[in-house]
Coordinates of all heavy atoms in Angstrom, one line a residue:
M1 N -1.0 2.4 -8.7 CA -0.7 2.0 -7.3 C 0.7 1.4 -7.3 O 1.1 0.7 -8.1 CB -1.7 1.0 -6.8 CG -1.4 0.5 -5.4 SD -2.6 -0.8 -4.8 CE -3.9 0.3 -4.4
S2 N 1.5 1.8 -6.3 CA 2.9 1.4 -6.2 C 3.0 0.1 -5.4 O 2.1 -0.2 -4.5 CB 3.7 2.5 -5.5 OG 5.0 2.1 -5.2
W3 N 4.0 -0.6 -5.6 CA 4.3 -1.9 -4.9 C 4.8 -1.6 -3.5 O 5.0 -2.5 -2.7 CB 5.2 -2.8 -5.7 CG 6.5 -2.2 -6.1 CD1 6.7 -1.6 -7.3 CD2 7.7 -2.2 -5.4 NE1 8.0 -1.2 -7.4 CE2 8.7 -1.6 -6.2 CE3 8.1 -2.6 -4.1 CZ2 10.0 -1.4 -5.8 CZ3 9.4 -2.4 -3.7 CH2 10.3 -1.8 -4.6
L4 N 5.2 -0.3 -3.2 CA 5.8 0.1 -2.0 C 5.0 1.3 -1.4 O 4.8 2.3 -2.1 CB 7.2 0.5 -2.2 CG 8.1 0.8 -1.0 CD1 9.5 0.4 -1.2 CD2 8.0 2.3 -0.8
V5 N 4.6 1.2 -0.1 CA 3.9 2.2 0.6 C 4.5 2.4 1.9 O 4.7 1.5 2.7 CB 2.4 1.9 0.8 CG1 1.7 3.0 1.5 CG2 1.7 1.6 -0.6
A6 N 4.9 3.7 2.3 CA 5.4 4.0 3.6 C 4.3 4.4 4.5 O 3.4 5.2 4.1 CB 6.4 5.2 3.4
E7 N 4.2 3.9 5.7 CA 3.2 4.2 6.7 C 3.6 4.0 8.1 O 4.1 2.9 8.4 CB 1.9 3.5 6.3 CG 2.1 2.0 6.3 CD 0.9 1.2 5.7 OE1 0.0 1.9 5.3 OE2 0.9 0.0 5.8
N8 N 3.5 4.9 8.9 CA 3.7 4.8 10.4 C 5.0 4.1 10.8 O 5.1 3.2 11.5 CB 2.5 4.0 11.0 CG 1.2 4.7 10.8 OD1 1.1 5.9 10.7 ND2 0.2 3.8 10.7
G9 N 6.1 4.6 10.2 CA 7.4 4.1 10.5 C 7.7 2.7 10.0 O 8.6 2.0 10.4
A10 N 6.9 2.3 9.0 CA 7.1 1.0 8.4 C 6.9 1.2 6.9 O 6.5 2.2 6.4 CB 6.2 0.0 8.9
V11 N 7.3 0.1 6.1 CA 7.1 0.1 4.7 C 6.3 -1.2 4.4 O 6.6 -2.3 4.9 CB 8.5 0.0 4.0 CG1 8.3 -0.2 2.5 CG2 9.3 1.3 4.2
T12 N 5.3 -1.1 3.6 CA 4.5 -2.2 3.2 C 4.8 -2.5 1.7 O 4.8 -1.6 0.9 CB 3.0 -1.9 3.3 OG1 2.7 -1.6 4.7 CG2 2.1 -3.1 2.9
L13 N 5.1 -3.8 1.4 CA 5.4 -4.2 0.1 C 4.3 -5.1 -0.5 O 3.8 -5.9 0.2 CB 6.7 -5.0 0.1 CG 7.9 -4.4 0.6 CD1 9.1 -5.4 0.5 CD2 8.3 -3.1 -0.1
R14 N 3.9 -4.9 -1.7 CA 3.0 -5.7 -2.4 C 3.8 -6.5 -3.4 O 4.5 -6.0 -4.3 CB 1.9 -4.8 -3.2 CG 0.8 -5.6 -3.8 CD -0.1 -4.7 -4.6 NE -0.6 -3.6 -3.8 CZ -1.6 -3.6 -3.0 NH1 -2.4 -4.7 -2.9 NH2 -2.0 -2.6 -2.3
L15 N 3.8 -7.9 -3.2 CA 4.7 -8.7 -4.0 C 3.9 -9.8 -4.7 O 2.9 -10.3 -4.3 CB 5.7 -9.4 -3.0 CG 6.5 -8.5 -2.2 CD1 7.4 -9.4 -1.2 CD2 7.4 -7.6 -3.0
H16 N 4.5 -10.2 -5.9 CA 4.0 -11.4 -6.6 C 5.2 -12.4 -6.6 O 6.2 -12.1 -7.0 CB 3.6 -11.0 -8.1 CG 3.2 -12.2 -8.8 ND1 1.9 -12.7 -8.8 CD2 3.9 -13.1 -9.7 CE1 1.8 -13.8 -9.5 NE2 3.0 -14.0 -10.1
I17 N 4.9 -13.5 -6.0 CA 6.0 -14.5 -5.8 C 5.9 -15.7 -6.7 O 4.8 -16.2 -7.0 CB 5.9 -15.1 -4.3 CG1 5.9 -13.9 -3.3 CG2 6.9 -16.1 -4.0 CD1 7.1 -13.0 -3.4
Q18 N 7.0 -16.1 -7.2 CA 7.1 -17.3 -8.1 C 8.0 -18.3 -7.4 O 9.2 -18.2 -7.6 CB 7.7 -16.9 -9.5 CG 7.8 -18.1 -10.4 CD 8.5 -17.8 -11.7 OE1 8.6 -16.6 -12.1 NE2 9.0 -18.8 -12.4
P19 N 7.4 -19.2 -6.7 CA 8.3 -20.2 -6.0 C 8.8 -21.3 -6.9 O 8.2 -21.4 -8.1 CB 7.3 -20.8 -4.9 CG 6.0 -20.6 -5.5 CD 6.0 -19.4 -6.4
G20 N 9.8 -22.0 -6.5 CA 10.3 -23.1 -7.3 C 11.1 -22.7 -8.5 O 11.3 -23.5 -9.4
A21 N 11.7 -21.5 -8.5 CA 12.5 -21.0 -9.6 C 13.9 -21.6 -9.4 O 14.3 -22.1 -8.3 CB 12.5 -19.5 -9.6
K22 N 14.7 -21.4 -10.4 CA 16.1 -21.9 -10.4 C 17.0 -21.0 -9.4 O 17.9 -21.4 -8.8 CB 16.8 -21.8 -11.7 CG 16.2 -22.9 -12.7 CD 16.9 -22.9 -14.0 CE 16.4 -24.0 -14.9 NZ 17.1 -24.0 -16.2
K23 N 16.6 -19.7 -9.3 CA 17.4 -18.7 -8.6 C 16.5 -17.8 -7.9 O 15.4 -17.4 -8.4 CB 18.2 -18.0 -9.6 CG 19.1 -16.9 -9.1 CD 19.9 -16.3 -10.3 CE 20.4 -15.0 -10.0 NZ 21.1 -14.4 -11.1
T24 N 16.9 -17.3 -6.7 CA 16.1 -16.3 -5.9 C 16.6 -15.0 -6.4 O 17.8 -14.6 -6.3 CB 16.3 -16.5 -4.4 OG1 15.8 -17.8 -4.0 CG2 15.6 -15.4 -3.7
E25 N 15.6 -14.2 -6.9 CA 16.0 -12.8 -7.5 C 14.7 -12.0 -7.6 O 13.6 -12.5 -7.7 CB 16.6 -13.0 -8.8 CG 15.7 -13.6 -9.9 CD 16.4 -13.9 -11.2 OE1 17.5 -13.4 -11.4 OE2 15.7 -14.6 -12.0
V26 N 15.0 -10.7 -7.6 CA 13.9 -9.7 -7.9 C 13.8 -9.6 -9.4 O 14.8 -9.4 -10.1 CB 14.2 -8.3 -7.4 CG1 13.2 -7.3 -7.8 CG2 14.3 -8.4 -5.8
V27 N 12.6 -9.8 -10.0 CA 12.4 -9.7 -11.4 C 12.1 -8.3 -11.9 O 12.6 -7.8 -12.9 CB 11.3 -10.7 -11.8 CG1 11.0 -10.6 -13.3 CG2 11.6 -12.1 -11.4
G28 N 11.2 -7.6 -11.2 CA 10.8 -6.3 -11.5 C 9.3 -6.1 -11.3 O 8.6 -7.0 -10.8
P29 N 8.7 -5.0 -11.8 CA 7.3 -4.8 -11.7 C 6.4 -5.9 -12.3 O 6.8 -6.4 -13.4 CB 7.1 -3.4 -12.4 CG 8.4 -2.8 -12.4 CD 9.4 -3.9 -12.5
H30 N 5.3 -6.2 -11.7 CA 4.3 -7.1 -12.2 C 3.0 -6.5 -11.8 O 2.4 -6.8 -10.7 CB 4.5 -8.5 -11.5 CG 3.6 -9.6 -12.0 ND1 3.9 -10.3 -13.1 CD2 2.4 -10.0 -11.5 CE1 2.9 -11.1 -13.3 NE2 2.0 -11.0 -12.3
G31 N 2.4 -5.7 -12.7 CA 1.2 -5.0 -12.4 C 1.5 -4.0 -11.3 O 2.4 -3.2 -11.3
A32 N 0.7 -4.1 -10.2 CA 0.9 -3.2 -9.0 C 1.8 -3.8 -8.0 O 1.8 -3.3 -6.8 CB -0.5 -2.9 -8.4
A33 N 2.5 -4.9 -8.3 CA 3.3 -5.6 -7.4 C 4.7 -5.7 -7.9 O 5.0 -5.4 -9.1 CB 2.8 -7.0 -7.2
L34 N 5.6 -6.1 -7.0 CA 7.0 -6.4 -7.4 C 7.2 -7.9 -7.5 O 6.8 -8.6 -6.5 CB 8.0 -5.8 -6.4 CG 9.5 -6.0 -6.6 CD1 9.9 -5.2 -7.9 CD2 10.3 -5.6 -5.5
K35 N 7.6 -8.4 -8.6 CA 7.8 -9.9 -8.7 C 9.1 -10.3 -8.2 O 10.2 -9.8 -8.6 CB 7.6 -10.3 -10.2 CG 7.6 -11.8 -10.4 CD 7.3 -12.1 -11.8 CE 7.2 -13.6 -12.0 NZ 6.9 -14.0 -13.4
I36 N 9.1 -11.4 -7.4 CA 10.3 -12.0 -6.9 C 10.2 -13.5 -7.2 O 9.2 -14.1 -6.9 CB 10.5 -11.7 -5.4 CG1 10.6 -10.2 -5.1 CG2 11.6 -12.5 -4.8 CD1 10.7 -9.9 -3.7
R37 N 11.3 -14.1 -7.7 CA 11.4 -15.5 -7.9 C 12.1 -16.1 -6.7 O 13.1 -15.5 -6.3 CB 12.2 -15.8 -9.2 CG 11.5 -15.5 -10.5 CD 12.2 -16.0 -11.7 NE 11.6 -15.6 -12.9 CZ 12.1 -14.9 -13.9 NH1 13.4 -14.6 -13.8 NH2 11.4 -14.5 -14.9
L38 N 11.7 -17.2 -6.3 CA 12.3 -17.9 -5.1 C 12.7 -19.3 -5.5 O 12.0 -20.1 -6.0 CB 11.3 -18.0 -3.9 CG 10.7 -16.7 -3.4 CD1 9.7 -17.0 -2.3 CD2 11.9 -15.8 -2.8
A39 N 13.9 -19.6 -5.1 CA 14.5 -21.0 -5.3 C 14.1 -21.9 -4.1 O 15.0 -22.5 -3.5 CB 16.0 -20.9 -5.5
A40 N 12.8 -21.9 -3.8 CA 12.3 -22.7 -2.7 C 10.9 -23.2 -3.1 O 10.2 -22.4 -3.8 CB 12.3 -22.0 -1.4
P41 N 10.6 -24.4 -2.8 CA 9.2 -24.9 -3.1 C 8.2 -24.3 -2.2 O 8.4 -23.9 -1.1 CB 9.4 -26.4 -2.9 CG 10.4 -26.5 -1.8 CD 11.4 -25.4 -2.1
P42 N 6.9 -24.2 -2.7 CA 5.8 -23.7 -1.9 C 5.3 -24.7 -1.0 O 4.1 -25.0 -1.0 CB 4.8 -23.2 -3.0 CG 5.0 -24.2 -4.1 CD 6.5 -24.5 -4.1
V43 N 6.1 -25.3 -0.2 CA 5.7 -26.4 0.7 C 6.2 -26.2 2.1 O 7.4 -25.7 2.3 CB 6.4 -27.8 0.2 CG1 6.0 -28.9 1.1 CG2 6.0 -28.1 -1.2
D44 N 5.3 -26.4 3.1 CA 5.7 -26.3 4.5 C 6.3 -24.9 4.9 O 7.2 -24.9 5.7 CB 6.7 -27.4 4.9 CG 6.0 -28.8 4.7 OD1 4.8 -28.9 4.9 OD2 6.8 -29.7 4.4
G45 N 5.9 -23.9 4.3 CA 6.4 -22.5 4.6 C 7.8 -22.3 4.1 O 8.4 -21.2 4.4
K46 N 8.4 -23.1 3.3 CA 9.8 -22.9 2.8 C 9.9 -21.7 1.9 O 10.9 -21.0 2.0 CB 10.3 -24.2 2.0 CG 10.5 -25.4 2.9 CD 11.0 -26.6 2.2 CE 11.1 -27.7 3.1 NZ 11.5 -29.0 2.4
A47 N 8.9 -21.4 1.1 CA 9.0 -20.3 0.2 C 8.9 -19.0 1.0 O 9.6 -18.0 0.8 CB 7.9 -20.3 -0.9
N48 N 8.0 -19.0 2.0 CA 7.9 -17.8 2.9 C 9.2 -17.5 3.7 O 9.7 -16.4 3.8 CB 6.8 -17.9 3.9 CG 5.4 -17.8 3.2 OD1 5.3 -17.2 2.1 ND2 4.4 -18.3 3.8
A49 N 9.8 -18.6 4.2 CA 11.1 -18.4 4.9 C 12.2 -18.0 4.0 O 13.0 -17.1 4.3 CB 11.5 -19.8 5.5
C50 N 12.2 -18.5 2.7 CA 13.2 -18.0 1.7 C 13.0 -16.6 1.4 O 14.0 -15.8 1.3 CB 13.1 -18.9 0.5 SG 14.2 -18.5 -0.8
L51 N 11.7 -16.2 1.2 CA 11.4 -14.8 0.9 C 11.9 -13.8 2.0 O 12.6 -12.8 1.7 CB 9.9 -14.6 0.7 CG 9.4 -13.2 0.5 CD1 10.0 -12.5 -0.7 CD2 7.9 -13.2 0.4
I52 N 11.6 -14.1 3.3 CA 12.0 -13.3 4.4 C 13.5 -13.2 4.5 O 14.1 -12.1 4.7 CB 11.3 -13.7 5.7 CG1 9.8 -13.4 5.6 CG2 11.9 -13.1 6.9 CD1 8.9 -14.0 6.7
G53 N 14.2 -14.3 4.3 CA 15.6 -14.4 4.4 C 16.2 -13.5 3.3 O 17.2 -12.8 3.5
F54 N 15.7 -13.7 2.1 CA 16.2 -12.9 0.9 C 16.0 -11.4 1.1 O 17.0 -10.7 0.9 CB 15.5 -13.4 -0.4 CG 15.8 -12.6 -1.6 CD1 17.0 -12.7 -2.2 CD2 14.9 -11.7 -2.1 CE1 17.3 -12.0 -3.3 CE2 15.2 -11.0 -3.3 CZ 16.4 -11.1 -3.9
L55 N 14.8 -11.0 1.6 CA 14.6 -9.6 1.8 C 15.5 -9.0 2.9 O 16.0 -7.9 2.8 CB 13.1 -9.3 2.1 CG 12.2 -9.5 0.9 CD1 10.7 -9.3 1.4 CD2 12.5 -8.5 -0.2
A56 N 15.7 -9.8 4.0 CA 16.5 -9.4 5.1 C 18.0 -9.2 4.6 O 18.6 -8.2 4.9 CB 16.5 -10.4 6.2
D57 N 18.5 -10.1 3.7 CA 19.8 -10.0 3.2 C 19.9 -8.8 2.2 O 20.9 -8.0 2.3 CB 20.2 -11.2 2.4 CG 20.5 -12.4 3.3 OD1 20.6 -12.2 4.5 OD2 20.5 -13.5 2.7
Q58 N 18.9 -8.6 1.4 CA 19.0 -7.5 0.4 C 18.9 -6.1 1.1 O 19.5 -5.2 0.7 CB 17.8 -7.6 -0.6 CG 17.9 -8.7 -1.5 CD 19.1 -8.7 -2.4 OE1 19.4 -7.7 -3.0 NE2 19.9 -9.8 -2.5
L59 N 18.1 -6.0 2.2 CA 17.9 -4.8 2.9 C 18.9 -4.6 4.0 O 18.9 -3.5 4.6 CB 16.5 -4.7 3.3 CG 15.4 -4.8 2.2 CD1 14.0 -4.8 2.8 CD2 15.6 -3.6 1.3
G60 N 19.7 -5.6 4.4 CA 20.6 -5.5 5.5 C 19.9 -5.3 6.8 O 20.4 -4.5 7.7
I61 N 18.8 -6.0 7.0 CA 18.1 -5.9 8.3 C 17.8 -7.3 8.9 O 18.1 -8.3 8.2 CB 16.7 -5.2 8.1 CG1 15.8 -6.0 7.1 CG2 16.9 -3.8 7.6 CD1 14.4 -5.5 6.9
G62 N 17.3 -7.3 10.1 CA 17.0 -8.6 10.7 C 15.7 -9.2 10.2 O 14.8 -8.4 9.9
K63 N 15.6 -10.5 10.2 CA 14.4 -11.1 9.8 C 13.2 -10.8 10.6 O 12.0 -10.8 10.2 CB 14.5 -12.7 9.8 CG 15.5 -13.2 8.8 CD 15.7 -14.7 8.9 CE 16.8 -15.2 8.0 NZ 16.9 -16.7 8.2
A64 N 13.4 -10.5 11.9 CA 12.3 -10.1 12.8 C 11.6 -8.8 12.4 O 10.5 -8.6 12.8 CB 12.9 -10.0 14.2
A65 N 12.2 -8.0 11.6 CA 11.6 -6.7 11.2 C 10.6 -6.9 10.1 O 9.9 -6.0 9.7 CB 12.7 -5.7 10.8
I66 N 10.6 -8.1 9.5 CA 9.7 -8.4 8.3 C 8.6 -9.4 8.7 O 8.8 -10.4 9.3 CB 10.5 -9.1 7.2 CG1 11.7 -8.2 6.8 CG2 9.7 -9.4 6.0 CD1 12.7 -8.8 5.9
S67 N 7.4 -9.0 8.4 CA 6.2 -9.8 8.7 C 5.3 -9.9 7.5 O 5.2 -8.9 6.7 CB 5.5 -9.3 9.9 OG 5.0 -8.0 9.7
I68 N 4.6 -11.0 7.4 CA 3.7 -11.2 6.3 C 2.3 -10.8 6.8 O 1.8 -11.3 7.7 CB 3.6 -12.7 5.8 CG1 5.0 -13.1 5.3 CG2 2.5 -12.9 4.8 CD1 5.1 -14.6 4.9
L69 N 1.7 -9.8 6.1 CA 0.4 -9.2 6.5 C -0.7 -10.1 5.9 O -1.7 -10.3 6.5 CB 0.3 -7.8 6.0 CG 1.2 -6.8 6.6 CD1 1.0 -5.4 6.0 CD2 1.1 -6.7 8.1
S70 N -0.5 -10.5 4.6 CA -1.5 -11.3 3.9 C -0.9 -12.1 2.8 O 0.2 -11.8 2.3 CB -2.6 -10.4 3.3 OG -2.1 -9.6 2.3
G71 N -1.6 -13.2 2.4 CA -1.1 -14.0 1.4 C -0.1 -15.1 1.8 O 0.7 -15.5 1.0
D72 N -0.3 -15.6 3.0 CA 0.7 -16.6 3.6 C 0.8 -17.8 2.7 O 1.9 -18.3 2.5 CB 0.2 -17.0 5.0 CG 1.2 -17.7 5.7 OD1 2.4 -17.3 5.7 OD2 0.9 -18.7 6.4
T73 N -0.3 -18.2 2.1 CA -0.3 -19.4 1.2 C -0.6 -19.0 -0.3 O -0.9 -19.9 -1.1 CB -1.3 -20.4 1.6 OG1 -2.6 -19.8 1.6 CG2 -1.0 -20.9 3.0
S74 N -0.4 -17.7 -0.6 CA -0.7 -17.2 -2.0 C 0.5 -16.7 -2.6 O 1.5 -16.3 -2.0 CB -1.8 -16.1 -1.8 OG -2.0 -15.5 -3.1
R75 N 0.5 -16.5 -3.9 CA 1.6 -15.9 -4.7 C 1.5 -14.4 -4.4 O 2.5 -13.7 -4.5 CB 1.5 -16.2 -6.2 CG 1.8 -17.6 -6.5 CD 1.6 -17.8 -8.0 NE 2.0 -19.1 -8.4 CZ 3.0 -19.4 -9.2 NH1 3.8 -18.4 -9.7 NH2 3.3 -20.6 -9.5
A76 N 0.3 -13.8 -4.2 CA 0.1 -12.4 -4.0 C 0.3 -12.2 -2.5 O -0.5 -12.7 -1.7 CB -1.2 -11.9 -4.5
K77 N 1.3 -11.4 -2.1 CA 1.6 -11.2 -0.7 C 1.7 -9.7 -0.3 O 2.1 -9.0 -1.2 CB 2.9 -11.9 -0.3 CG 2.9 -13.4 -0.5 CD 4.1 -14.0 0.1 CE 4.2 -15.5 -0.2 NZ 3.1 -16.3 0.4
R78 N 1.4 -9.4 0.9 CA 1.7 -8.1 1.4 C 2.6 -8.3 2.6 O 2.3 -9.0 3.5 CB 0.4 -7.3 1.8 CG -0.3 -6.8 0.6 CD -1.6 -6.1 1.0 NE -1.4 -5.1 2.0 CZ -2.0 -5.1 3.2 NH1 -2.9 -6.0 3.5 NH2 -1.8 -4.1 4.1
L79 N 3.7 -7.6 2.6 CA 4.7 -7.7 3.8 C 4.9 -6.3 4.4 O 4.9 -5.3 3.7 CB 6.0 -8.2 3.3 CG 6.2 -9.7 3.2 CD1 5.4 -10.3 2.1 CD2 7.7 -10.0 3.0
R80 N 5.2 -6.3 5.7 CA 5.5 -5.1 6.4 C 6.9 -5.2 6.9 O 7.3 -6.2 7.4 CB 4.6 -4.8 7.5 CG 5.0 -3.6 8.4 CD 4.0 -3.1 9.3 NE 2.9 -2.5 8.5 CZ 1.6 -2.6 8.8 NH1 1.3 -3.3 9.9 NH2 0.7 -2.0 8.1
I81 N 7.7 -4.1 6.6 CA 9.1 -4.0 7.1 C 9.1 -2.9 8.1 O 8.9 -1.7 7.7 CB 10.0 -3.8 6.0 CG1 9.9 -4.9 4.9 CG2 11.5 -3.7 6.5 CD1 10.7 -4.7 3.7
M82 N 9.4 -3.2 9.4 CA 9.4 -2.2 10.4 C 10.7 -1.4 10.4 O 11.8 -2.0 10.2 CB 9.1 -2.8 11.8 CG 7.8 -3.5 11.9 SD 6.4 -2.4 11.6 CE 6.6 -1.2 13.0
G83 N 10.6 -0.1 10.7 CA 11.8 0.7 10.9 C 12.6 1.0 9.6 O 13.8 1.2 9.7
A84 N 12.0 0.8 8.4 CA 12.7 1.0 7.2 C 12.3 2.3 6.5 O 11.2 2.8 6.6 CB 12.4 -0.2 6.3
E85 N 13.3 2.8 5.7 CA 13.0 4.0 4.9 C 12.6 3.6 3.5 O 13.2 2.8 2.9 CB 14.3 4.8 4.8 CG 14.8 5.4 6.1 CD 14.0 6.6 6.5 OE1 13.4 7.3 5.6 OE2 13.9 6.9 7.7
A86 N 11.5 4.1 3.1 CA 10.9 3.7 1.8 C 11.9 3.9 0.6 O 12.0 3.0 -0.2 CB 9.6 4.5 1.5
A87 N 12.6 5.0 0.6 CA 13.5 5.3 -0.5 C 14.6 4.3 -0.5 O 15.0 3.8 -1.6 CB 14.1 6.7 -0.4
A88 N 15.2 3.9 0.7 CA 16.2 2.9 0.7 C 15.8 1.6 0.3 O 16.5 0.8 -0.4 CB 16.8 2.9 2.2
V89 N 14.6 1.2 0.7 CA 14.0 -0.1 0.3 C 13.8 -0.2 -1.2 O 14.2 -1.1 -1.8 CB 12.7 -0.4 1.1 CG1 12.0 -1.6 0.5 CG2 12.9 -0.5 2.6
R90 N 13.2 0.9 -1.8 CA 13.0 0.9 -3.2 C 14.3 0.8 -3.9 O 14.5 0.0 -4.9 CB 12.3 2.2 -3.6 CG 12.0 2.3 -5.1 CD 11.2 3.5 -5.5 NE 9.9 3.7 -4.9 CZ 8.8 3.1 -5.3 NH1 8.9 2.3 -6.4 NH2 7.7 3.3 -4.7
K91 N 15.3 1.6 -3.5 CA 16.6 1.6 -4.2 C 17.3 0.2 -4.2 O 17.8 -0.3 -5.2 CB 17.5 2.6 -3.5 CG 18.9 2.8 -4.2 CD 19.7 3.9 -3.5 CE 21.1 4.0 -4.1 NZ 21.9 5.0 -3.4
R92 N 17.3 -0.4 -3.0 CA 17.9 -1.7 -2.9 C 17.2 -2.9 -3.6 O 17.9 -3.7 -4.2 CB 18.1 -2.1 -1.4 CG 19.1 -1.3 -0.7 CD 19.3 -1.7 0.7 NE 20.4 -1.0 1.3 CZ 21.2 -1.5 2.2 NH1 21.1 -2.7 2.6 NH2 22.2 -0.7 2.7
L93 N 15.9 -2.8 -3.6 CA 15.2 -3.9 -4.3 C 15.1 -3.7 -5.8 O 15.1 -4.6 -6.6 CB 13.8 -4.0 -3.8 CG 13.7 -4.5 -2.4 CD1 12.2 -4.6 -1.9 CD2 14.4 -5.9 -2.2
E94 N 15.2 -2.4 -6.3 CA 15.1 -2.2 -7.7 C 16.5 -2.6 -8.4 O 16.5 -2.8 -9.6 CB 14.8 -0.7 -8.0 CG 13.3 -0.5 -7.9 CD 12.9 0.9 -8.2 OE1 13.8 1.8 -8.2 OE2 11.7 1.2 -8.3
R95 N 17.5 -2.6 -7.6 CA 18.8 -2.9 -8.2 C 19.3 -4.3 -7.8 O 20.4 -4.8 -8.2 CB 19.9 -1.9 -7.8 CG 20.3 -1.9 -6.3 CD 21.4 -1.0 -6.0 NE 21.7 -0.8 -4.6 CZ 22.4 -1.7 -3.9 NH1 23.0 -2.7 -4.5 NH2 22.6 -1.5 -2.7
A96 N 18.4 -5.0 -7.1 CA 18.8 -6.4 -6.6 C 18.9 -7.4 -7.8 O 18.3 -7.2 -8.8 CB 17.8 -6.9 -5.6

């Protein structure tokens, strides 16, 4: 199973998040997910806000296009990115 699935004009990402890291960065594959380290604590939604901001910057899109489908308080998250091309998302995140 891939960490990226294209469906109905959107892309769904399966992520494994490591909050509280020294630096925000894409680490690489982690099982069926993509691992991302976040330089934000898992408190008061700070890690989720950091994640959405990081992905928006990496993909060159607005934050409003990104939504958390599941895992709001978990390290295992599913996110949807509206209006994105799967190939472009994969390319930008694999080289981030």
Side-chain angles (χ1 to χ4, degrees):
M1 177 180 284
S2 174
W3 55 267
L4 182 147
V5 177
E7 55 189 8
N8 302 328
V11 173
T12 301
L13 303 179
R14 185 180 311 270
L15 304 175
H16 178 81
I17 304 303
Q18 179 187 342
K22 290 183 180 183
K23 176 178 162 182
T24 298
E25 63 185 347
V26 175
V27 177
H30 182 83
L34 180 67
K35 184 173 182 177
I36 298 178
R37 291 187 183 125
L38 298 176
V43 179
D44 299 327
K46 290 180 182 177
N48 287 338
C50 178
L51 174 62
I52 290 172
F54 174 71
L55 290 175
D57 288 346
Q58 292 297 311
L59 301 173
I61 61 173
K63 293 178 188 178
I66 303 171
S67 58
I68 297 175
L69 298 176
S70 65
D72 195 43
T73 59
S74 171
R75 288 177 178 246
K77 298 187 184 300
R78 284 181 49 241
L79 274 70
R80 173 165 291 142
I81 303 171
M82 298 303 298
E85 294 284 332
V89 171
R90 181 179 299 277
K91 183 178 177 181
R92 287 184 177 214
L93 291 180
E94 285 180 342
R95 67 176 175 83

